[in-house]
Amino acid sequence: MYIVTAEEMYGIDRETMDSIGVDGKILMENAGREVSREIKKRISEKDAILVLVGGGNNGGDGFVVARTLHVEGYNVKVVQVVGDEKIKGDADYHKRLFLRCNGLIIYLDSLGDEVKYMIKDSAVVVDAMVGIGVKGKLKEPILSIAQNINESNKQVIAIDIPSGLPAEEHHSEFYAVQADTTVVIGALKQSLFLQNTASFYGDWVMASIGFQSEVIRRYTDKQWWYQEAFQSFFPKRKENSHKGMHGRGLVIGGNHLMPGSVMMTTKAAVRSGAGLTTMGTSKAVISMMASSCNESMYIPIQEQDGYLSDASEIDYSAYDAVAIGMGIGREKVTHQLIKNAITAVKGILLVDADGLYHTKEQLHVLPSRQTPTILTPHPGEFASLLDVSISEILQKPFSYSKEFAVKYGVYLVLKGKFTIITASTGRQVVESGGNPGLAKGGSGDVLSGIILAMVMQDQPIFEAICNACYLHSASADNLVKEKHSVYDLTATDIIEGIPNALRTLTSSE
């Protein structure tokens, strides 16, 4: 499924009508009927339905919804919240159809403050007031109506996007309708995947209305990753495969205060299908952890005062991929180790956690690497790399991620509830699975191990990273569904849940 901004959606809509020749009235009819189908799943025939209709395509969709439900015998009332001069073109056509079907339209200027009582007297409110073209804050009288809706405690179903909500990032000041359900039309809107806007959609469902995927791809390369996408790229193992065919991975990290991080990454890599996995850490950490993962091999790395200091003896050419930074600490003695790895690793390099702290001064080196580099920051780490605030990152995560990945030629995994994976080409994917149980120390270490394993399998590297993020979330979701809560779930649990998640995902192909 594709993700769009308002401008991209307008382009898709325009090309579908102008170049392909699909009449806008048909697209509007398709949208309204799809929305009506979803509404009927959520209401009863006895429910009093209030459709609030504004201008533009969103209002036109509202008229189609009202007509569709009205002719099927539902109890529908329509309030037009804008003047007739705002109802134009295709929207006006569908308004006249509704009237010819004996539909009744109540005009806001004849109601005054009474609209709030109509909202209270309704069981369901359908929001078709303002679509993706909102500019700035809502203006009166729609602002007051939105406030009345939010205070009513009624079931609210929004068409395409809740009124007042921006469709894309970098908007911080707005007032929007809080929907219980949003039927998103044509393509997913970017604000579905932003921390400060996503909740306004409530539950959401996608309605396809006839846009060709070829047309959509001409306007956006942003996608949402879901189970079918995972299955389409996840490789099946050959009957005669052997360990050498599934990657030789090296994990470097750990210090005397955080020995568990590197172990979790290593165990996650083993669980996720890496052929051979080696842990590089201090002798002290090896002695503590070796019995916890019998499947891994170990390389001792020199340490100073409990922190890794020199890995120059490691032959990086023996490994297909290297993950570095988990629990490694921020001491100066470790800085040179990270700096050397960036240039010495000839395979895929993944940098996470404290490794990102040491990489900040080496960002200029990354574009010269001949093999893929993967950075996996959370918003705080990414803000530090860019010398901006966390709030700035959260307002424009797509833009910052794309600019960074393209500039430094890396794959960037910006972790969070909505994990944004960005390729060096600028292509972006959102993985939105998982649950609050992942908000625990060690979850990121586990993800790094899964990514390490996935990028060594027979699948394109970008899709491998996306699949790793999906598997990480799927493990957490399955565990909470079956035997854990979001409170007691741990990073170690996520590792142990990987086999069941893989079995579930691959058995349903």
Side-chain angles (χ1 to χ4, degrees), residues 115-184:
V115 67
K116 65 182 177 183
Y117 299 110
M118 293 187 69
I119 293 171
K120 290 181 179 179
D121 290 340
S122 302
V124 180
V125 176
V126 178
D127 172 20
M129 296 188 293
V130 181
I132 60 174
V134 64
K135 302 294 183 184
K137 295 182 180 179
L138 287 176
K139 297 178 176 60
E140 294 293 357
I142 295 177
L143 175 59
S144 292
I145 296 173
Q147 291 169 339
N148 290 331
I149 293 171
N150 290 344
E151 294 167 3
S152 69
N153 200 31
K154 302 296 182 180
Q155 181 182 181
V156 179
I157 302 175
I159 298 178
D160 197 28
I161 190 169
S163 288
L165 194 69
E168 57 274 303
E169 63 181 7
H170 72 251
H171 295 279
S172 58
E173 294 185 5
F174 59 86
Y175 185 89
V177 168
Q178 174 61 64
D180 296 292
T181 304
T182 301
V183 185
V184 183

Side-chain angles (χ1 to χ4, degrees), residues 14 29 46 68 73 134 138 193 212 222 231 248 324 345 354 381 401 422 437 442 472 501:
R14 190 165 49 247
E29 180 75 16
K46 297 179 180 180
T68 303
V134 64
L138 287 176
F193 307 105
Q212 289 185 307
K222 300 182 292 294
Q231 293 171 337
R248 294 175 170 84
I324 191 167
V345 172
D354 288 332
E381 291 165 336
S401 295
T422 308
H472 183 252

Side-chain angles (χ1 to χ4, degrees), residues 202-217:
D203 296 327
W204 62 267
V205 61
M206 171 75 173
S208 177
I209 64 170
F211 295 127
Q212 289 185 307
S213 58
E214 292 84 355
V215 174
I216 297 175
R217 284 197 296 268

